[in-house]
Amino acid sequence: MTSNLAEINKKIATAAQASDRNPNDITLVAVSKVHVAETIKPVLDAGHRVFGENRVQEAAEKWPALKDAYSDVELHLIGPLQTNKVRQAVQLFDVIETVDRPKLARTLARIFEEEGKTCDIYIQVNTGHESQKAGIPPEEVDTFIKLCRNELKLPVKGVMCIPPFDEDPTDHFKLLKSIADRNNIKVVSMGMSGDFEKAIEHGATHVRVGTAIFGTRPGY
Ligand SMILES: *Cc1c(COP(=O)(O)O)cnc(C)c1O
């Protein structure tokens, strides 16, 4: 695992330099979903601190103890968030990457207030207009960002997308980057094990890599 981690970090640096970008401007979100704490610990021991999980319940079982044992962990929620799980998510995560609808945004605003704690939020965009996939449609994203920022006062820090699996992701990466730029958003979360270098070429600041670090996920 740790040799994989070193190799991914090297590839990130190479891809950044190829696009005249500073490797330090790119954050690797190590996607540890499905993997148990014993598998995650070597990556923590190697000094890595930014992780992604896609299920609130699974993260709640694994991460409180790991967060106690390793300081400065930054945990990202990268999977869909149901409104009845928002309080638990807010308590557990530092970043919620999958904010994609007004009802969820309003619930987050209320729970932030009640808990006296906020998370950074990223807006998930359904760049491929896939009916089964989460994310706000690209045509509605500017209005949604305004709602989140101006009315709800949410800390909108980034945008995120998961391109269709069966398409070249290039156009999706370009679209997400253009949405970020025109809304003055600095963080662009895109790129996974198979395409993170291409995502960096198109402006990703955060790449979400699971399989290439931890190996194939059992049951997937
Ligand atoms: C699982 C997952 C990833 C990581 O995918 P890999 O192909 O294993 O690198 C990235 N983003 C999201 C939203 C995921 O659910």
Side-chain angles (χ1 to χ4, degrees), residues 4 26 70 116:
N4 290 346
I26 293 151
Y70 296 85

Side-chain angles (χ1 to χ4, degrees), residues 31 33 78 160 162 192-193 208-211 217:
V31 177
K33 66 187 183 199
I78 60 169
M160 176 272 213
I162 310 168
M192 310 182 4
S193 289
R208 309 178 307 266
V209 178
T211 310
R217 286 180 288 274

Side-chain angles (χ1 to χ4, degrees), residues 91-167:
Q91 289 165 349
L92 189 61
F93 288 92
D94 303 289
V95 180
I96 296 176
E97 295 206 15
T98 49
V99 180
D100 67 348
R101 57 198 192 277
K103 185 181 180 202
L104 174 58
R106 290 182 194 284
T107 306
L108 277 163
R110 176 171 57 80
I111 303 275
F112 284 169
E113 180 95 22
E114 290 173 8
E115 293 287 315
K117 173 187 185 286
T118 62
C119 312
D120 285 348
I121 70 163
Y122 302 172
I123 306 298
Q124 182 176 359
V125 185
N126 188 355
T127 58
H129 295 95
E130 294 174 279
S131 56
Q132 81 286 7
K133 199 169 270 178
I136 187 114
E139 309 76 48
E140 297 171 26
V141 68
D142 292 357
T143 306
F144 182 53
I145 289 169
K146 284 197 188 80
L147 168 78
C148 291
R149 278 178 165 161
N150 301 344
E151 187 184 324
L152 302 175
K153 314 288 183 212
L154 294 174
V156 179
K157 295 290 169 66
V159 288
M160 176 272 213
C161 76
I162 310 168
F165 289 115
D166 53 353
E167 279 180 34

